[in-house]
Structures are given as C-alpha cells and as structure tokens.
Amino acid sequence: MGQPPAAVAATRLAVRRCLADLPPGGLVLVACSGGADSLALAAATVFEAGSAPWRAGLVTVDHGLQAGSHLPAERVRGWAAAAGFDPIEVCRVVVGTGGDPGGTGGGPEAAARTARYAALDAAAERHGAQAVLLGHTLDDQAETVLLALARGSGARSLAGMAAARGRYRRPLLGLSRTVNVDACTTQGLDPWADPHNADPRFTRVRVRTVLRSLEAAAPGAAAGLARSAALLRADADLLDEIAETAAATATRPDGTLDCAALEALRPAVRTRVLRAAALAAGVPGGALTYPHVRALDALVTAWSGQGQVSLPGGIGAGRVSGRLVFAGR
C-alpha cells in the first residue's frame, strides 16, 4: 500500500500523537460540524481507531441558528455511520441571545460556544468518553492571539488555546487550515461551508480578514503568532504556579487575604492572586476584566480609604483592617 498524501498523513500523525496516552478501550468523541477542519479531524481519527486500542465516536451539534440547520448535522451523521463511528450523536441546543454580534461581551458567538460545550460535556458524560477532540487549527490559534492583542488582554489570553485541557484535546493546533482542506480534497470529502464563517457581523470573521492581510504582508505571520502563544503559555503557567504559592502564604486562617503580604508581591504575581481570589469568590470568569483587577490592586497598593469595589456576579471586595474581603452584595 502506498503512502497517503502529505496532508492526510499530517492529520493522522497529529491524532496519533495526541492520543498516544489514551488507555486501552477508551472512547474518543470527535466534535464535528462538517466543516473542513473538523471533517479532516474526524477522518483521521476514525482511520487511526482502526489500529489503535481506543474507540472513536462522533458528536455534531445543531445550534439551530439558521433555517435548515438540521440538514448539515444529519449529513454528518450519515457520513459518520458509513465511516464506522460508534456512538454517533446529533445534539440540538438552544443558543441564548448573547447581545451584539460584534460586542466584546461575546454576542451570539460566545452564546453558541457556551451551548456547544455544554452539549459536548453532556455527551462525554453519557458515553464515558476519555477525550473529546476539537478541530481548532494553527490559524484559529493565530486569530485568538490577534483578538487578545486587540483587546489588551494579559499573557494568559495571549497564550491562546491549550492543546489539551481536561477532556478536551486539539490535535490539529499545529496544522494550518490549508492542510485540512487539502486532506478533505484528497480523500474525496465534501466539507460543509457554514455561511456564518463569511458574515462580517461576527468578530471572528473580521479578525480572519485582518489575519489574511497580515499574512499577505508578512508571510508566516500566522505561524509566528501561534508560536508566540506557545511561548507565552509556558510563561503564564509558571507565573500561575508562583501565584498559587503566594496566595497560600497571603491567605489568613479566616480565608481573607493579608494586604501587607499582597503588597510585597511583584505586580505580575499579585494581580494573578487577586484574579484567582475574585474567581473563587464567584465572579464569572468571562466578565472579569482588567479594570476590575486594577481596582482590586488599588485596594492593596493605593489604599486611601476608598469604598468597596463592585465586581460582576453580585460580588463586592473591600479592605477591612488590613485584609481584603470578598462578599456577595
């Protein structure tokens, strides 16, 4: 038997390496929309499952955002059945409004993502899956970094998407979108073109346009952005470990934070401690912004008797007798 085309071989190798640690008999679920990236991932996964000690299943999510949205989902189901996936699920979800499509609050993009991950989590629990594979690519990583730069985010956001986090894994994060399109073409696969991917109302689509222009002006820009994300992720992981140790030292027996101990920390560590404390107090992660953390930091480093800091989720933080106290309002 001859060697597979380069693009096909690249996707299969990426899946094989990503799942090398999976226990025998384990189940892998591929999240597949039917687009080129997830379809190339699904094809590579089911091929590898033929000689691997693990099993391959597939989940496709129908977001119900377009007329006839069930048709692509059913098309994926039919292809998956012929390809040999088991189990196969079509999950239909209800997507919230999420606000303005282009707003930094997330809009329908964030609402759809929330609904999708909830459906994938539920499917993984139902079937006892050890891993759920996502089709994000090097281009997606570069777009994530660009968006984080535009929003003035910190190192953790600039670090982009993790190759693995919990049950979720992204085997194709080191491959370009072009490779996946080529893999589909050479295997005779017919990807679905989501019309939302060409709708400029959505933030991701506009960022994708910027990235194409940047790539035309500086070839290799997408790969460079993805490489920067990997470097920043290593730095952010180390700083988070340092911050975790510092938080334990600064936490009093009653669970409050000692302001003098916090003030002695370097800013990069202290702001991580404050952010983690706010999240632990119940502040929603997606709503906690730089101005919120900066206001918390001012309670520690620029104390002048200011009042309580109002945080998302109905949480307040104030300085009381040299302690930083979080409480519900």
Side-chain angles (χ1 to χ4, degrees):
M1 182 181 294
Q3 294 298 314
V8 175
T11 58
R12 291 174 181 176
L13 178 60
V15 168
R16 188 159 64 247
R17 286 176 172 171
C18 177
L19 298 176
D21 66 332
L22 213 67
L27 174 65
V28 176
L29 289 179
V30 181
C32 183
S33 67
D37 297 327
S38 63
L39 195 57
L41 173 61
T45 303
V46 76
F47 176 85
E48 290 296 319
S51 58
W54 40 263
R55 300 174 293 122
L58 184 142
V59 177
T60 186
V61 178
D62 175 8
H63 297 85
L65 294 176
Q66 305 159 30
S69 65
H70 65 288
L71 297 176
E74 291 301 329
R75 182 182 177 193
V76 169
R77 187 212 293 267
W79 172 81
F85 284 95
D86 183 30
I88 301 166
E89 270 203 47
V90 174
C91 297
R92 295 179 175 84
V93 299
V94 176
V95 177
T97 56
D100 175 61
T104 55
E109 293 169 285
R113 184 168 56 249
T114 297
R116 180 167 60 253
Y117 276 97
L120 293 175
D121 280 335
E125 290 294 332
R126 277 194 301 274
H127 298 289
Q130 276 71 50
V132 177
L133 305 189
L134 305 174
H136 295 116
T137 67
L138 181 148
D139 299 82
D140 293 312
Q141 187 74 298
E143 291 161 10
T144 299
V145 175
L146 269 183
L147 187 56
L149 280 169
R151 290 176 173 170
S153 303
R156 176 52 67 189
S157 293
L158 291 173
M161 297 175 284
R165 174 172 293 169
R167 61 165 59 102
Y168 290 101
R169 305 189 186 193
R170 298 179 171 92
L172 307 184
L173 206 55
L175 301 182
S176 71
R177 192 167 290 137
T178 301
V179 170
N180 295 325
V181 171
D182 289 347
C184 288
T185 299
T186 56
Q187 294 176 96
L189 302 176
D190 184 18
W192 172 60
D194 185 349
H196 281 174
N197 287 336
D199 189 337
R201 292 181 305 153
F202 297 102
T203 306
R204 274 282 177 177
V205 175
R206 299 198 297 273
V207 171
R208 195 163 294 153
T209 301
V210 171
L211 182 60
R212 281 197 295 267
S213 298
L214 183 59
E215 188 71 33
L225 287 166
R227 185 165 56 251
S228 294
L231 294 170
L232 283 166
R233 179 166 294 280
D235 292 347
D237 287 346
L238 176 59
L239 282 168
D240 285 348
E241 289 178 16
I242 295 171
E244 187 175 348
T245 300
T249 302
T251 301
R252 294 188 173 194
D254 62 358
T256 61
L257 292 168
D258 185 275
C259 290
L262 289 175
E263 191 169 10
L265 299 174
R266 298 293 292 270
V269 176
R270 183 174 58 248
T271 53
R272 280 171 166 76
V273 172
L274 293 171
R275 177 177 173 79
L279 295 176
V283 178
L288 187 62
T289 64
Y290 171 71
H292 293 131
V293 177
R294 185 174 59 184
L296 292 175
D297 195 50
L299 291 176
V300 177
T301 62
W303 172 245
S304 59
Q306 62 263 43
Q308 189 179 70
V309 172
S310 295
L311 299 170
I315 305 298
R319 180 164 173 156
V320 180
S321 302
R323 298 172 297 125
L324 193 62
V325 180
F326 291 86
R329 295 197 305 275

